[in-house]
Amino acid sequence: MKKTIFITITLLLVAAIAVGVVVYAVGGSKNEDEPVSAAAVDKEAENKNVGPDAANEPEPDPAGPAVVSLEEYWAKLKAERVGEPFTLEEIYLLCAGLFKTECSIKFTANDCVLYFLGEYSEYGLSAEKMIVTDPANVSEDDIYAVFLAVLDLCFDECTNDDGQRAKFFLLNNTNSIWTPDYVFSSNYGDFGYETFSDYYYGRQKEERGIHIYSICFDKKMITYLYTPGVRTNLYEEYKAAAIANGVNIK
């Protein structure tokens, strides 16, 4: 009886081993031509996307173009200069440079800016402005408006205008004898003066020469103050420099 059971078990083991060999030969390895399930394809694609190249792909910006506050932007630039003054041309070119990328430029518009843009209120109220840049088609009027805003908001120490001359002209522009402008100088320290006002009122006109500028706010015009002969409009030079620096002014 024991012998019969032993033989039966042996035969069963041999049969099991044989079946296992057949199963392995037939289905133990994948056939390359066999269809692959959608889940397997998704998993394989997911694995391929994990790596150095995938990690370096830029993510879309859900917030859209950056918002640039003029006052914050210029506060940073001034801090980096550590007291070294900006020339008037540098100020214009840095304003123009903001238009090389897509952004929204935010600032508080004063009377001069609003008047230049044709949005002046008879009460002279300032207003929040937002200029959205288009690098492919830059408006020179937008650049000039930002330029005027920067002079008013960020370079009060270099200008003589406290808003009174501007308001006088704007409210009486039909008969006004005043020139609608800012008067600007940033290098008064080179002549031993601590403030622009000391420099402006403390020197004779002939001594000031080309060190003081007049920046109009009723048109795009920048000239030297107190220079004899024809007053050259420096604005065209500044504009050409901005175009040379890659600003696509139309």
Side-chain angles (χ1 to χ4, degrees), residues 10-58:
T10 301
L11 290 173
L12 289 174
L13 289 173
V14 171
I17 292 171
V19 171
V21 171
V22 172
V23 169
Y24 177 80
V26 174
S29 60
K30 285 185 177 292
N31 189 330
E32 292 183 359
D33 296 329
E34 182 181 354
V36 182
S37 68
V41 171
D42 292 343
K43 185 65 178 177
E44 185 176 357
E46 179 182 346
N47 292 337
K48 286 183 178 180
N49 285 334
V50 177
D53 292 338
N56 292 330
E57 290 179 1

Side-chain angles (χ1 to χ4, degrees), residues 149-162:
V150 166
L151 294 181
D152 178 65
L153 297 173
C154 310
F155 286 91
D156 184 62
E157 74 279 6
C158 298
T159 66
N160 75 321
D161 185 70
D162 61 357

Side-chain angles (χ1 to χ4, degrees), residues 30-175:
K30 285 185 177 292
N31 189 330
E32 292 183 359
D33 296 329
E34 182 181 354
V36 182
S37 68
V41 171
D42 292 343
K43 185 65 178 177
E44 185 176 357
E46 179 182 346
N47 292 337
K48 286 183 178 180
N49 285 334
V50 177
D53 292 338
N56 292 330
E57 290 179 1
E59 293 291 335
D61 183 4
V67 176
V68 177
S69 165
L70 278 186
E71 292 181 88
E72 294 176 4
Y73 176 76
W74 278 95
K76 181 179 179 181
L77 290 176
K78 284 183 162 185
E80 292 172 352
R81 277 293 184 97
V82 196
E84 181 184 351
F86 288 86
T87 67
L88 189 62
E89 183 175 6
E90 283 179 319
I91 296 171
Y92 175 84
L93 291 177
L94 285 166
C95 289
L98 290 172
F99 289 79
K100 294 171 69 174
T101 59
E102 292 186 2
C103 66
S104 296
I105 304 173
K106 180 178 70 173
F107 59 93
T108 301
N110 66 341
D111 294 336
C112 299
V113 173
L114 294 177
Y115 180 75
F116 175 75
L117 294 175
E119 302 172 10
Y120 176 72
S121 164
E122 63 176 307
Y123 299 106
L125 300 176
S126 60
E128 285 290 327
K129 292 293 297 180
M130 188 81 78
I131 292 180
V132 180
T133 65
D134 178 5
N137 187 22
V138 178
S139 164
E140 60 179 309
D141 283 357
D142 284 349
I143 295 177
Y144 199 77
V146 169
F147 174 61
L148 291 176
V150 166
L151 294 181
D152 178 65
L153 297 173
C154 310
F155 286 91
D156 184 62
E157 74 279 6
C158 298
T159 66
N160 75 321
D161 185 70
D162 61 357
Q164 296 306 312
R165 293 183 67 197
K167 291 177 183 177
F168 180 84
F169 175 82
L170 296 173
L171 296 175
N172 305 276
N173 58 0
T174 55
N175 300 311

